[in-house]
Each structure stands twice: as C-alpha cells, then as structure tokens.
Amino acid sequence: MKITLISMDNYIISYGVRCISSYLKQHGFDVAVIFARDVMDRDMPPSILADIADICNASDIIGISLMTSHFLHSISLTNYLKKRFHIPVIWGGIHPTFCPDESIKWADIVCIGEGEESLLELCKRIRENKEYLDVRGFWFSRNGQVIKASGMPLIEELDKLPYPDYGIVGHFIRDGQHIVRLTDKLFEKYLSKRKTLDGSYITEYYVSTSRGCPFKCSFCSSNSIKALYGGQKFHRLRSVDKVIGEVSELINRYSFIKWIYFSDDDIFASPIKRCEELSAKWKENIGLPFYCTCYPASYDEKKMKMLVDSGLGIINIGIQSVSKKGCEVYERRISAEKLKKVVNSVTAFKNILPPLYDFILDNPYENDDDMIENLKFILEIPEPRQLQLFSLVPFPGTGLYTLMKNDGILHKYHDKIYKRSYSYPNITYINLLFFMANNHVSPKIIKALSSDIALLLFNNRFVKFMLSLIPYSAVIWTVRTFITRELWRFNKPMQE
C-alpha cells in the first residue's frame, strides 16, 4: 500500500510529516514524501503540479500537511489531483485541525490533531478493505455528508515513537521548476544555514525534545490544541537518551550537519534536572552548537549556564511586547522590569552569538504610544543583539482570532491571514524605526526620529499612503543599505 505525503511548508524540516512517515514505515507501509517548498508563489507552476501528480500516481492515499498560509495553494493542488485521480486526499496540520468545516469542503478526509495513530489505523483499514468512517481523529466527506469521528487521545509516551524520517529514500523536493528525487546534496542545499561567530555559515537541523507548550499565549495555537484534548497531559517530554540517540544517528548519517536547532516552544520549561542531564550528555556525546527558544517567564540563569557550557550558541527570547495593552492581548503578563533582568542576564554571556529577541508589530490593540514604548525598550537592549520582527496575524484556532472576531475587527485581516506571511510587517513610519533598530542604526538617531515632532511630520496618512506605493522589497533594501549605511556614517563621529 502506497501513501504519499506532501508538505506545503517552505522549510524542509516538516517535522509533523517526517514523524508520520516514520511511524507508517515502522508498521510496514510504503511512504513517499514530497517537499513542495516555495508555495508562497501566487500559483504553483504547472510543471510542479504535474510532477507532484506523477509521484502520487498509484497511491492509495494522498496526505497534504498545511498551515493557514498554505490554504489557497492546497485547494489548487487538491483540485488538480482530484481531476487526475480517484484517490482519497487527506488534509492535516494546524489549519485543518482548527478549521475542519472549511477544510472538509475540499479534502475527502480531515485529520484533527496529532496524526500518527489516527493515520496508522486508517491505513490499516483501507489496506484490509474495511470500513473506516469511525476511525478516531478524522472528519470524513462521503456522498455530500460529513461524518465526524471522535478525537484520538494524545500520545503520552513519546519515546515509543521512532525517530522522524530524515532519510532520502522515497523523498522528493522542489528544485527550481520541478520536483526531483532528494539527494544528500539537495538535502544539504535546502536545509537552513546558521551564521557563526567567525562569519561563516553552517548547516543546521531541527530536533524536538518535547511536544506541547505549558503556556497560553493568545497568538499561538498551542493553548487551543491543548483544549482539544481535555485534561490530558499536553506538555510531554522525550527522554534525554532518546534525543541524544536521534541526534547521534542524524549527524553520523549527514556529516554536513554542524548545528542543531531545538524546535521546542520553550526548552527552559523542562525541570532543572532534565536540563542537567541534557547538558551533560550533549557535551559528552554530541558537542555541536545549538539554538533554543525561551519564554521570558521561564528563563533561569542556572539552566542558561548549563546550556551554554554544553554548546548553546544562540538563544531566542520571545518578548513580543512590553506595553501593558500588548501584554494583556497576548496573555503574557510579565513586567518590563522582569524582562530587563532576563535581557541583562542573557547579555552577560559573551561567548555565544548575539541574543535574538522577538517582537510583534501591527497589533490593532496597540496605539502609537505603545509602539514607541516597545521601540524604547529595544533601544535599551545592549548590543550586540538581533531582532525578529513579525506582523501580527490572527490565525484560526488562536485566542487572538477569537478576540478579534468578537471585537468585530477580524474582517480587516482576512487577506492577511490567507495570503501573507507573518514575517513581513506593514511598511509604516513607526515600523521603519523598528527596522532601523534591527539594522543597528544609532539609538540617538532613532530617538530623534521617534520624537513628537518627527512623528507629527512623518507618522501621518500622507506618508503612509506614499509608503504603500513602494514595493515591500524596495523599502527593506533601502533601510538595510542606503539608510542604514548613511545614518551610521553620520553618527560615527558622535560615537568616537
């Protein structure tokens, strides 16, 4: 029995798809995986659609993993495949989980939540030619009717799962305008790269030591996923030995992987004894530098010291906002004083790459004063530091989506939800000041440009309209090259 899984994600880690592929292979199924990549294109090129269809030929099931930003492309791909074949198409991932009623209009089957055990049972039923409409964890479309099966319990013992399928056998990837067989060379090419202290770039790979998140940030879907599973334990940890075993096997197979990205929502959320064990065994058995993320409220300097000693190369702190309104909307009630203590502690570790801080822009609940408050906080963060600036997108399934819907402002974000990435903040005057801060323009200049007089002159409808006429890429290029360089040169004598 052949199953073809298609990842619509631009990043080829595609953790969920790899986990499901590995689980199905462990139980004797023939699985092909397609990494479609670059689906932020307006339309998937005909050559890509044709190549995907050729690989799907003779499949018994086609699975498509998607997020909200992939929704429109997934419709196009599904319709194309249905014109070619009479093969059941399953949608899974975050968007189908929270929008099954929308997704079942296009897919034959919708997977809700974690899919390993659900999909395994479904595949067994189909292979044995048995009825499957009662398999838990799915919605089914049949003869114009929707059948809703009950939910599947969470997998509590993560160690019983095999390592994700990071092989290349049966894997295909978009390379240019075609889908081709994955090779070691292409695998290395399309894995993300990390800039090191000496300025060189090394290849990284994502590994997860847990599933779920103990926090309830309104812009994230984790809290809503938790609600799907009632009182079940949502934040689950893999054993350290299992994590070490996976990474050992991975780097022995691919010698070009020199950096590990821990994709956990917050690695600091695990007990300190586990951090001790992970740090000790990582240092003894792996020795590679790694990246991890942290929710400021869970930051612990003792854990930080352990992780840095064992190889932590960069830490990503999700601040998002320091304004009172921003913290309330995001359900992240942590004081600016506490955040400053975290920043100062992280800054004290000099033998790692500059810390990375996340901030969310374009929040309709924050006014200009709130945004300037966030900007001033950033300017007080000691250099060297890096910023990740995101645009607020209220994805379905998040508390923020519900809040904005109840407040009657969600309709203004419809196109943004389905057609635009959260990686591209709006081009506004105040946002440009954030871009400058991210490109290391002197705080003196940014403070001057954020003064009441400057805001009166430039933060108005006319300037906003003029900025809207300029292509996004052109604005960013200007900030990163001409503006940044010239302002830095202008300010250099004052620094000396």
Side-chain angles (χ1 to χ4, degrees), residues 301-478:
E301 195 166 281
K302 291 181 180 179
K303 293 179 182 179
M304 181 70 175
K305 288 179 179 178
M306 295 175 194
L307 294 171
V308 169
D309 181 62
S310 62
L312 174 64
I314 184 172
I315 184 171
N316 182 187
I317 307 290
I319 294 178
Q320 316 310 350
S321 177
V322 300
S323 78
K324 181 180 179 180
K325 194 62 181 178
C327 291
E328 288 177 356
V329 169
Y330 298 147
E331 295 193 31
R332 295 167 65 92
R333 293 171 175 84
I334 178 170
S335 68
E337 290 70 26
K338 168 67 174 176
L339 290 171
K340 288 178 182 178
K341 289 180 180 179
V342 172
V343 168
N344 290 336
S345 175
V346 170
T347 303
F349 292 88
K350 303 298 184 182
N351 55 332
I352 63 173
L353 287 165
L356 188 60
Y357 300 98
D358 293 349
F359 283 84
I360 299 176
L361 310 182
D362 306 326
N363 184 342
Y365 295 98
E366 289 187 310
N367 57 30
D368 290 348
D369 289 339
D370 295 322
M371 294 305 296
I372 296 301
E373 182 181 353
N374 287 323
L375 181 62
K376 287 180 178 178
F377 184 91
I378 288 173
L379 297 180
E380 292 176 358
I381 299 176
E383 294 274 10
R385 49 103 174 114
Q386 305 174 76
L387 303 178
Q388 283 192 135
L389 303 175
F390 299 103
S391 182
L392 186 145
V393 177
F395 289 115
T398 63
L400 190 63
Y401 181 94
T402 302
L403 176 67
M404 294 175 68
K405 183 177 181 180
N406 292 339
D407 288 344
I409 59 177
L410 186 64
H411 65 280
K412 298 178 181 179
Y413 284 75
H414 183 271
D415 286 347
K416 192 171 187 178
I417 293 173
Y418 288 93
K419 296 181 180 179
R420 185 171 163 192
S421 170
Y422 56 78
S423 298
Y424 300 99
N426 296 330
I427 298 299
T428 65
Y429 178 74
I430 292 181
N431 281 2
L432 286 175
L433 300 180
F434 281 85
F435 296 153
M436 290 180 187
N438 197 27
N439 285 274
H440 313 292
V441 173
S442 167
K444 293 180 180 179
I445 293 177
I446 297 177
K447 287 178 181 178
L449 294 174
S450 59
S451 65
D452 291 342
I453 295 176
L455 292 175
L456 182 65
L457 290 173
F458 303 115
N459 187 39
N460 53 57
R461 292 182 179 180
F462 175 74
V463 173
K464 182 178 180 179
F465 172 73
M466 295 302 295
L467 288 172
S468 70
L469 300 178
I470 307 173
Y472 191 96
S473 57
V475 175
I476 300 302
W477 179 85
T478 302

Side-chain angles (χ1 to χ4, degrees), residues 114 117 136 151-155 229 232:
E114 295 182 1
E117 293 186 338
R136 300 171 69 183
M152 180 69 77
L154 284 171
I155 298 173
Y229 293 99
Q232 298 178 64

